[in-house]
Amino acid sequence: MPDSSRVEIRLLRESDIAAAMDLKNSARWNQTESDWRVLLQLEPNGCFAAVLDEQVVGTTTTTSYGSELAWIGMVLVRPEKRRTGIATKLVQTALAYLEHRVGVVKLDATADGKLVYERLGFEVESSIERWGRKGEPLRFDGQPETMESDTWHQVLQLDRAAFGADRSKLLKLLRVRPVVTKSEGAVTGYGLARAGSNPAYIGPIVSSQRSQAIELLDRLLEQLHPRPVYIDFNRNWGDGQQLLSERGFEKEREFIRMKSGDAVPTSSLVFAIAGPEIG
């Protein structure tokens, strides 16, 4: 068994992305090289690599949303090096970086990771479900799009109310083919979609009206047809499983949303999250 004391934790660099993608592929996750670059752009001093014998064997990232909230994500360890303390060491480094920067830290854990985070003081907050729909493996391209400034301002206001923190920098980078609903000229919901390494990814979807959340989902699915799609459904939204089943989705797995600090649970305005690595 490798000795975790020999593992060096250092900043994750753009030159590490190929190695990070290998780790991601070993875990069968869906993030792209672009996703890694977004994380590094948002928090260049808060993304970390575990290195053993000059090889990247683990990663973790942090994303700060002002001084209110931060997210820990991309906790990955090479399969043969798991259960050796590397993940714990990475998360401890991330928490040390975030200390005094934010009041609350959250993450979306896999079942295997839950015990690691509980030992570090995290508590279960809620449940997220990954649903997938099969399709034809067509490329999904897109660049962040412009949006009329007043509409964009209202989108950010709605998102902050739902998410509990300002993530405008993140949303600007993810703003690919956005869809918006309005009522009497005011924004009542929005949804985004982006490329994944295999299925495309829908999220976030945020709406103050239940019927419009469904409308946003259907409009995004129309854009993506006939590609395979992932969506991470917020169980606090209510009973959405039948809606997803009716649209050809099948439940694939669950994430456990966990928190460290006195946090407000994820709002029922959120139908789909932005991603387990970013909230």
Side-chain angles (χ1 to χ4, degrees):
M1 178 178 293
D3 180 0
S4 65
S5 66
R6 293 176 50 227
V7 173
E8 173 198 0
I9 306 297
R10 61 160 172 80
L11 289 180
L12 185 71
R13 311 176 185 120
E14 189 162 348
S15 59
D16 296 318
I17 287 178
M21 286 292 288
D22 285 341
L23 292 173
K24 185 274 305 182
N25 290 336
S26 295
R28 298 181 180 180
W29 291 5
N30 194 45
Q31 286 80 9
T32 65
E33 290 187 7
S34 177
D35 292 324
W36 284 105
R37 290 190 178 92
V38 166
L39 291 163
L40 287 169
Q41 183 175 344
L42 290 170
E43 205 80 35
N45 296 315
C47 299
F48 304 98
V51 180
L52 179 64
D53 298 329
E54 300 184 356
Q55 180 184 42
V56 174
V57 296
T59 62
T60 193
T61 61
T62 68
T63 306
S64 298
Y65 302 114
S67 61
E68 299 152 298
L69 174 64
W71 218 267
I72 291 177
M74 304 307 288
V75 181
L76 290 160
V77 177
R78 286 184 65 86
E80 69 274 17
K81 302 291 193 296
R82 292 172 187 166
R83 297 178 176 83
T84 63
I86 294 174
T88 298
K89 200 168 184 177
L90 281 162
V91 177
Q92 286 174 329
T93 302
L95 289 170
Y97 169 77
L98 294 171
E99 190 176 9
H100 307 308
R101 282 182 167 84
V102 296
V104 176
V105 180
K106 292 189 182 184
L107 54 82
D108 288 330
T110 62
D112 288 340
K114 179 173 177 286
L115 290 177
V116 172
Y117 304 124
E118 285 180 332
R119 287 196 293 267
L120 293 170
F122 283 84
E123 300 175 347
V124 173
E125 178 188 278
S126 60
S127 177
I128 306 295
E129 294 179 352
R130 163 66 56 87
W131 288 69
R133 188 173 84 166
K134 294 180 172 59
E136 298 177 23
L138 302 177
R139 185 179 178 88
F140 176 59
D141 292 316
Q143 296 295 324
E145 295 187 7
T146 59
M147 185 183 291
E148 198 273 328
S149 60
D150 182 61
T151 298
W152 178 237
H153 178 69
Q154 291 184 58
V155 164
L156 295 180
Q157 284 185 316
L158 176 62
D159 186 78
R160 180 168 185 139
F163 186 68
D166 178 6
R167 53 179 180 174
S168 54
K169 292 180 181 178
L170 169 69
L171 295 180
K172 185 176 181 180
L173 294 172
L174 299 184
R175 194 171 62 191
V176 177
R177 301 191 187 183
V179 293
V180 175
T181 54
K182 294 185 177 183
S183 178
E184 298 181 354
V187 171
T188 54
Y190 82 94
L192 304 177
R194 64 186 186 272
S197 60
N198 187 9
Y201 187 84
I202 287 179
I205 294 177
V206 176
S207 179
S208 61
Q209 299 182 26
R210 185 180 180 89
S211 62
Q212 291 188 350
I214 301 166
E215 176 190 339
L216 290 164
L217 171 62
D218 287 338
R219 287 168 60 187
L220 289 167
L221 289 174
E222 184 178 356
Q223 282 189 12
L224 295 170
H225 181 78
R227 299 170 182 84
V229 178
Y230 279 150
I231 188 169
D232 291 324
F233 169 66
N234 171 32
R235 286 293 306 273
N236 285 351
W237 187 83
D239 184 14
Q241 292 91 335
Q242 183 175 347
L243 295 170
L244 292 168
S245 294
E246 290 170 351
R247 288 156 177 79
F249 284 87
E250 295 181 357
K251 182 180 173 182
E252 296 193 2
R253 61 190 296 188
E254 291 191 9
F255 295 102
I256 304 111
R257 179 151 289 186
M258 305 186 76
K259 64 177 182 176
S260 176
D262 187 13
V264 176
T266 303
S267 168
S268 60
L269 298 178
V270 178
F271 177 84
I273 68 169
E277 75 278 21
I278 48 179

